[in-house]
């Protein structure tokens, strides 16, 4: 059994564990918060989860061949992947913005809520990348 086969068998479980850890951080921060966490604070984690789902919808073999004049499957896949990465980085930037707001503004959720939001987005996106890299080329 080669390294790629081991990664293909271990990777999805590892991705699920990292994804669960990400949401555990967020649930812990919401439950331990002294005040009600506004729904706006939930959006970066939801967007990161959506982005992870989006870039796992792209097949690896669609990205192998590239022609700059291709208007077919490869171009659509690259555009979809680009959009997924834009959403993922915006969600990460949003969570960092929430962290700064929580740390500086009085009457907002605790700084731990902001830190948990950043950890959640980072771990969700990492789990999506782990799952995408551990999929074999003939899946989906």
């Amino acid at each position: 059994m080669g390294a790629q086969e081991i990664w293909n068998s271990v990777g999805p479980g590892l991705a699920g564990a990292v994804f669960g850890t990400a949401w555990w951080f967020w649930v812990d921060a919401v439950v331990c918060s002294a005040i009600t966490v506004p729904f706006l604070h939930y959006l970066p984690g939801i967007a990161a989860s959506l982005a992870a789902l989006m870039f796992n919808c792209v097949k690896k073999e669609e990205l192998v061949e590239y022609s700059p004049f291709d208007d077919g499957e490869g171009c659509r896949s690259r555009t979809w992947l680009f959009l997924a990465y834009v959403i993922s980085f915006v969600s990460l930037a949003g969570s960092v913005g929430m962290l700064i707001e929580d740390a500086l503004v009085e009457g907002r959720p605790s700084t731990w809520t902001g830190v948990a939001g950043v950890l959640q987005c980072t771990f969700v996106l990492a789990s999506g990348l782990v799952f995408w890299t551990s999929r074999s080329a003939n899946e989906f």
Side-chain angles (χ1 to χ4, degrees), residues 35-50:
I35 65 169
T36 303
V37 178
F39 180 73
L40 188 63
H41 281 63
Y42 288 79
L43 292 179
I46 294 170
S49 298
L50 177 68

Side-chain angles (χ1 to χ4, degrees), residues 19 47-57 84 88 124-125 127-129 131:
F19 186 84
S49 298
L50 177 68
L53 177 69
M54 286 174 66
F55 60 74
N56 275 294
C57 291
S88 67
V124 163
L125 297 173
S127 74
L129 288 175
F131 186 71

Side-chain angles (χ1 to χ4, degrees), residues 55-66:
F55 60 74
N56 275 294
C57 291
V58 176
K59 295 178 185 176
K60 288 182 182 179
E61 61 266 6
E62 294 173 357
L63 303 174
V64 173
E65 294 184 25
Y66 176 70

Side-chain angles (χ1 to χ4, degrees), residues 43-49 51 86-96 117 121 125:
L43 292 179
I46 294 170
S49 298
V86 167
I87 292 171
S88 67
F89 288 125
V90 166
S91 70
L92 191 57
S95 67
V96 169
C121 287
L125 297 173

Side-chain angles (χ1 to χ4, degrees), residues 16-139:
V18 172
F19 186 84
T21 302
W23 277 95
W24 176 82
F25 277 126
W26 181 247
V27 169
D28 178 65
V30 170
V31 169
C32 294
S33 179
I35 65 169
T36 303
V37 178
F39 180 73
L40 188 63
H41 281 63
Y42 288 79
L43 292 179
I46 294 170
S49 298
L50 177 68
L53 177 69
M54 286 174 66
F55 60 74
N56 275 294
C57 291
V58 176
K59 295 178 185 176
K60 288 182 182 179
E61 61 266 6
E62 294 173 357
L63 303 174
V64 173
E65 294 184 25
Y66 176 70
S67 171
F69 305 107
D70 180 28
D71 61 348
E73 186 176 274
C75 185
R76 284 190 303 268
S77 295
R78 283 180 174 75
T79 303
W80 182 259
L81 200 59
F82 175 74
L83 183 62
Y85 280 111
V86 167
I87 292 171
S88 67
F89 288 125
V90 166
S91 70
L92 191 57
S95 67
V96 169
M98 298 290 175
L99 168 62
I100 293 169
E101 180 184 12
D102 290 346
L104 298 178
V105 178
E106 195 65 33
R108 302 298 295 178
S110 67
T111 305
W112 166 238
T113 306
V115 170
V118 172
L119 289 173
Q120 176 196 25
C121 287
T122 303
F123 280 33
V124 163
L125 297 173
S127 74
L129 288 175
V130 166
F131 186 71
W132 192 77
T133 59
S134 66
R135 289 187 346 213
S136 60
N138 58 3
E139 289 181 7

